[in-house]
Amino acid sequence: MRYNNNIKTLGPQAARLVTTLYEQNRPIFRLKEVQKILHSNEASSRNFVRKLVNRGVVTRLKPGLFILVPYELGKEAEYMGNPFIVAREIMGGKDYFLSHATAMEIHGGVTQPQLVVNITTLKPRRSIAAQGIEFRFIHSQKRYFFGLSDHWVTKQEKVKVSDLERTIIDGLKQPEYCGGLTEVAKGLWMRHQDVNVNRLISYAMKISVGAVIRRLGFLLELYKIGTSEDWEILSSYLTETYVRLDPLLPPEGKFLRKWRLQLNVTPEELLSVVRT
């Protein structure tokens, strides 16, 4: 964090802008809102906001997107606010949901704070870095926008997030966005008493990715989550093809015919993770 030695005194225009934004519950705002409130053109608004950034009244999150720095922070000149709300505002009303490790954090399935916010979107986008947080965008087709719920960040603010079961399925499909298969397994175990196994299986069928079905069946059986009938449903969908349990690790380890998996993470390792 850097500090601004200027005293944050507000002139009439700045006071009107800040007051109006708070009244509208818009601490995160865009340049067009400045233009509307101050009745100014784009160039004047941009120059005005730049001065507020230099004075520590406002922090720039990305080109054209800003956040008010709470007055009680004193001389603090950089401020992020809640990264989940920032992620929603970055999307600007376009379809999205918080996913993978970010959703796992929201659902209480991680033990370490996350410095990356994963956002599933309909169009590819480059990552954005702001105030030490990386906002990473994961491209998805519209037909995979299911299993979503609202998460209330505050009493007034909510964001869209994958539900617990969808989060686990996404982790099994793309463990690279969750820190690896072991982290997904840990999250599954941490929330296993709340997980809906029927929904997990339904989502796995809807995603229709063989590797997901294999990994899910293996982990459910390993951790004794669900019933043998549940595991049999998943095993009935398998083909003869083998895949790695963790696609991020080298192709080594025993082959488990029941789930058509190469166990490059051993069952003992996965069981030891949940005992700690």
Side-chain angles (χ1 to χ4, degrees):
M1 293 285 186
R2 64 179 175 83
Y3 291 85
N4 193 319
N5 292 322
N6 296 328
I7 299 174
K8 296 181 184 176
T9 52
L10 301 179
Q13 269 197 315
R16 176 154 60 111
L17 176 65
V18 171
T19 300
T20 304
L21 288 170
Y22 275 126
E23 286 175 349
Q24 295 177 353
N25 193 29
R26 294 290 299 169
I28 301 176
F29 62 95
R30 286 177 163 75
L31 201 60
K32 63 181 181 181
E33 292 166 282
V34 179
Q35 292 178 244
K36 185 176 180 181
I37 292 170
L38 299 183
H39 306 291
S40 59
N41 60 35
E42 181 179 348
S44 297
S45 297
R46 191 180 302 279
N47 185 54
F48 185 73
V49 174
R50 186 183 300 114
K51 292 178 181 177
L52 294 182
V53 170
N54 292 337
R55 292 170 56 196
V57 176
V58 166
T59 293
R60 177 181 176 275
L61 297 173
K62 78 179 191 73
L65 187 67
F66 308 89
I67 185 170
L68 296 173
V69 178
Y71 188 76
E72 58 268 23
L73 292 184
K75 294 181 179 179
E76 189 67 56
E78 293 183 354
Y79 172 70
M80 160 65 73
N82 187 292
F84 301 152
I85 297 175
V86 172
R88 181 196 70 193
E89 293 302 309
I90 287 173
M91 291 307 302
K94 296 177 182 175
D95 287 340
Y96 82 98
F97 61 93
L98 303 182
S99 62
H100 298 82
T102 301
M104 196 72 82
E105 179 182 18
I106 289 172
H107 293 302
V110 299
T111 55
Q112 299 294 327
Q114 306 293 303
L115 296 178
V116 175
V117 176
N118 293 293
I119 310 164
T120 292
T121 65
L122 290 176
K123 293 183 178 180
R125 296 181 59 152
R126 291 182 179 179
S127 295
I128 294 172
Q131 310 302 310
I133 300 290
E134 178 189 351
F135 295 88
R136 181 168 56 197
F137 303 95
I138 302 167
H139 176 230
S140 172
Q141 297 178 33
K142 180 68 174 179
R143 64 192 177 102
Y144 294 128
F145 269 58
F146 66 86
L148 311 180
S149 61
D150 288 328
H151 171 68
W152 288 91
V153 179
T154 68
K155 290 182 179 179
Q156 296 83 28
E157 302 280 1
K158 62 183 178 180
V159 295
K160 194 68 71 177
V161 61
S162 55
D163 65 25
L164 175 59
E165 292 77 16
R166 175 61 196 274
T167 300
I168 292 165
I169 294 299
D170 281 343
L172 296 175
K173 182 185 177 188
Q174 299 169 302
E176 64 269 25
Y177 298 125
C178 292
L181 189 283
T182 301
E183 291 301 311
V184 180
K186 187 189 300 182
L188 170 61
W189 176 256
M190 288 174 68
R191 296 302 313 278
H192 75 278
Q193 292 183 326
D194 301 305
V195 77
N196 184 313
V197 176
N198 289 334
R199 191 176 296 147
L200 267 179
I201 295 173
S202 172
Y203 287 176
M205 297 299 104
K206 194 166 184 176
I207 290 287
S208 190
V209 174
V212 170
I213 295 171
R214 288 161 169 75
R215 292 165 188 153
L216 177 62
F218 171 75
L219 289 177
L220 291 181
E221 185 176 39
L222 180 68
Y223 293 145
K224 301 297 187 288
I225 301 171
T227 66
S228 57
E229 286 79 11
D230 295 323
W231 312 332
E232 286 302 320
I233 290 172
L234 291 166
S235 65
S236 69
Y237 283 86
L238 300 184
T239 64
E240 290 299 316
T241 307
Y242 281 76
V243 301
R244 283 175 285 173
L245 178 56
D246 190 333
L248 306 183
L249 297 178
E252 56 190 24
K254 295 181 179 179
F255 289 87
L256 179 64
R257 175 159 180 76
K258 179 174 183 179
W259 292 110
R260 310 294 198 277
L261 284 170
Q262 184 176 20
L263 302 182
N264 55 354
V265 181
T266 68
E268 291 73 25
E269 288 177 81
L270 293 171
L271 288 170
S272 67
V273 163
V274 303
R275 296 192 191 108
T276 57

